[in-house]
Amino acid sequence: MTCDDFKRIFPKYQGTRYVSDKAEVEETRENAKVRKVVLENSCCQVIDPLMVKELSSFFEKAGSDNLFLKDCDGIFLYDGSQGKKHLIFCELKSEFSTPKIYEGYKQILSSCIKLKMLMNLLPNYRKDDYEVLGFIFSRPKKDLRDWYKQSLLSSKNREASFVRRLCYTKESAYKLTTKECFEIKDLKLGENVLFDTLELHHIAVDAPNNTYRLDVEQYVS
């Protein structure tokens, strides 16, 4: 199993573990408005985020692309009821803005690539066995007209286009293929650290709540 294999190869990262009913992601900054996400109905494996985050210092020393220096808040491996395996990445943001949401996407993308680098060390890892889901939690999106005016003044076209597609369409998820991810286009990475599709969701956390309970089964098949 993935947790056992990770613990054997990286024994000091004890945050990697099994949970039987729910898992949690916490934002530790004191001024955070979205502080915790609880994944319910989630008999899953928690991946110690430090195991992935500490790769960032290696990439920084190596002078690598800035994308590799970003990390998300929580990583989980979930076995769906239909036998599919899912890598779940969570990022908590205190506010809704185009730069913040776009940054959350890049943090998830970077953590996914770095986790897959590590998973390639595992004896039974096959890229095609895993589907990839990313969740960005923040305060609710702005009115479309207000957001549009703000984005014209403060955001790059690529960022605004991404946020519009993720948050302002009727579709429940934004599904990106590797070819659609501009951020990795010029990196020319190996197939085993990539994905066929990255399914992204924006989840609104209404004020004054700072905790959100996510039913994982609603998003996996």
Side-chain angles (χ1 to χ4, degrees):
M1 296 295 290
T2 303
C3 262
D4 295 331
D5 290 332
F6 270 139
K7 286 186 174 182
R8 176 175 50 81
I9 300 172
F10 309 112
K12 290 188 176 181
Y13 291 95
Q14 293 302 307
T16 297
R17 63 194 187 278
Y18 295 97
V19 293
S20 60
D21 56 350
K22 64 180 181 180
E24 296 182 353
V25 187
E26 289 195 68
E27 173 56 73
T28 56
R29 290 184 297 111
E30 288 187 6
N31 61 345
K33 295 178 182 177
V34 180
R35 299 189 64 87
K36 181 188 288 189
V37 170
V38 181
L39 279 68
E40 298 183 324
N41 294 323
S42 55
C43 181
C44 66
Q45 301 175 55
V46 179
I47 305 300
D48 191 333
L50 283 177
M51 190 167 61
V52 175
K53 288 180 179 179
E54 292 188 355
L55 283 175
S56 299
S57 61
F58 165 77
F59 283 110
E60 184 175 19
K61 290 177 182 177
S64 300
D65 189 273
N66 187 57
L67 178 70
F68 292 109
L69 311 185
K70 302 179 184 300
D71 300 282
C72 71
D73 293 318
I75 306 173
F76 307 91
L77 194 160
Y78 181 82
D79 291 329
S81 57
Q82 303 300 317
K84 294 181 181 179
K85 297 179 181 179
H86 304 268
L87 295 176
I88 298 176
F89 299 85
C90 297
E91 176 60 25
L92 282 58
K93 295 295 184 187
S94 287
E95 63 181 80
F96 180 92
S97 70
T98 295
K100 292 287 187 183
I101 300 301
Y102 190 72
E103 178 70 9
Y105 153 62
K106 290 193 291 184
Q107 290 171 268
I108 288 172
L109 180 60
S110 176
S111 291
C112 178
I113 292 170
K114 288 183 285 189
L115 176 64
K116 282 173 169 276
M117 286 176 55
L118 298 176
M119 293 183 76
N120 271 280
L121 297 172
L122 306 183
N124 297 312
Y125 171 70
R126 292 178 64 252
K127 177 179 78 76
D128 294 340
D129 289 344
Y130 296 88
E131 297 183 354
V132 183
L133 288 84
F135 294 90
I136 303 171
F137 300 85
S138 78
R139 288 303 189 218
K141 64 186 178 183
K142 295 178 172 65
D143 174 80
L144 179 57
R145 290 183 180 179
D146 292 339
W147 169 81
Y148 186 69
K149 291 177 183 178
Q150 182 188 55
S151 295
L152 284 178
L153 294 173
S154 62
S155 303
K156 299 178 181 178
N157 289 339
R158 186 180 305 117
E159 294 180 359
S161 177
F162 170 84
V163 173
R164 181 180 178 87
R165 178 65 182 79
L166 174 64
C167 303
Y168 289 98
T169 65
K170 294 180 179 180
E171 295 182 24
S172 60
Y174 186 3
K175 298 181 180 181
L176 297 96
T177 64
T178 299
K179 292 181 179 179
E180 293 175 297
C181 293
F182 178 87
E183 295 73 19
I184 60 176
K185 179 180 178 182
D186 296 327
L187 297 179
K188 302 188 185 304
L189 301 173
E191 286 294 322
N192 272 357
V193 300
L194 299 177
F195 45 81
D196 294 327
T197 303
L198 169 58
E199 181 177 316
L200 288 169
H201 298 265
H202 173 255
I203 306 294
V205 183
D206 294 317
N209 298 322
N210 59 16
T211 298
Y212 188 91
R213 309 186 81 86
L214 181 76
D215 186 348
V216 176
E217 279 291 332
Q218 292 184 6
Y219 297 91
V220 300
S221 56

